Amino acid sequence: MFQENCYIVSDDTNECVIIDCGAFFDEEKNAIANYLKSNGLTPKHLLCTHGHIDHNFGNKFVFDTFGLRPEVHKGDQPLMNKLGAQAKAFIGVDCGNDFPAVSKHLEDGGKVTFGNHTFTITGTPGHTPGSVFLYCKEERLAFSGDTLFQMSIGRTDLELGDFDEIMRSLEHIANALPPDTTILPGHGGSTTMKEELAHNPYLNVKGVQR
């Protein structure tokens, strides 16, 4: 209902990670389970780019099915503590508080490994205090959550959002990632850092654009 992007990232070892499991309806959960089964994949991590409910609806499904608890930056622990309240506030759905507890806090500069690949964690506060980028250097690929979209950025008018913070995060990302990095956001289509630096009005400002 939010048109949120859930990603399953695997390599030739058949290990994988699940990123931002927003699966709400049974057909969405079944699609994920069937994809993993048909490709012989073994999930090793459930990674959350931030603590909003639309990116975490499927956490209980992943825990019940694969035994994985979510991993999220500690800055978003307060949001993870009230996912049920978020669901009620956003869409009027009573999910209770039946969500698995966070298993590990992601740290700025930390690493997440699976198979032959590694994600580097970069804190990008602004949309939420604990928003992160997940960057895979080997593949020149970054999962941006709701910090950076194709020609746009995440909202900062929600609880704990901060526009000045997200602009500082964008400046850092613009200088840290190579221009040929593919960006896979939490909503909408993919893009590249080169395209965003050239055309995104939020990056095409003094102090952000390279």
Side-chain angles (χ1 to χ4, degrees):
M1 65 189 74
F2 288 97
Q3 297 184 335
E4 178 267 347
N5 295 330
C6 171
Y7 297 100
I8 297 171
V9 188
S10 62
D11 64 17
D12 56 8
T13 68
N14 288 339
E15 291 188 357
C16 70
V17 297
I18 302 172
I19 300 173
D20 286 354
C21 188
F24 180 79
F25 298 106
D26 286 343
E27 55 264 40
E28 297 168 344
K29 298 173 185 177
N30 291 336
I32 292 171
N34 290 338
Y35 176 83
L36 292 167
K37 182 178 180 180
S38 63
N39 286 280
L41 301 179
T42 302
K44 292 296 183 179
H45 299 275
L46 171 58
L47 304 176
C48 307
T49 60
H50 63 291
H52 281 156
I53 183 61
D54 52 325
H55 295 253
N56 291 276
F57 267 124
N59 290 358
K60 185 176 187 301
F61 151 71
V62 173
F63 176 66
D64 290 345
T65 309
F66 306 108
L68 297 177
R69 296 180 183 271
E71 301 174 35
V72 66
H73 190 280
K74 64 182 179 181
D76 274 12
Q77 185 63 58
L79 291 172
M80 298 295 285
N81 290 342
K82 52 182 182 180
L83 289 173
Q86 289 188 54
K88 196 163 187 178
F90 278 121
I91 59 172
V93 171
D94 188 357
C95 296
N97 292 306
D98 194 16
F99 291 91
V102 171
S103 67
K104 178 182 178 181
H105 284 140
L106 303 174
E107 297 183 359
D108 191 17
K111 309 288 185 182
V112 174
T113 60
F114 67 99
N116 297 320
H117 286 78
T118 299
F119 286 157
T120 300
I121 311 301
T122 299
T124 55
H127 179 65
T128 65
S131 290
V132 298
F133 260 56
L134 307 171
Y135 176 56
C136 183
K137 183 178 180 181
E138 301 100 317
E139 306 292 343
R140 295 289 180 95
L141 192 68
F143 298 87
S144 62
D146 286 4
T147 296
L148 177 62
F149 301 132
Q150 185 179 36
M151 303 306 148
S152 188
I153 63 173
R155 295 174 60 175
T156 57
D157 60 332
L158 300 173
E159 181 182 8
L160 304 180
D162 188 314
F163 180 78
D164 291 336
E165 283 270 37
I166 203 171
M167 292 302 289
R168 285 191 287 269
S169 294
L170 292 168
E171 180 180 359
H172 174 68
I173 288 297
N175 287 286
L177 298 185
D180 62 350
T181 302
T182 296
I183 302 296
L184 294 171
H187 304 270
S190 64
T191 184
T192 65
M193 281 306 305
K194 181 178 179 179
E195 286 295 310
E196 296 310 301
L197 287 166
H199 303 294
N200 189 321
Y202 293 96
L203 271 70
N204 192 11
V205 295
K206 183 178 180 182
V208 174
Q209 187 180 43
R210 287 192 296 186

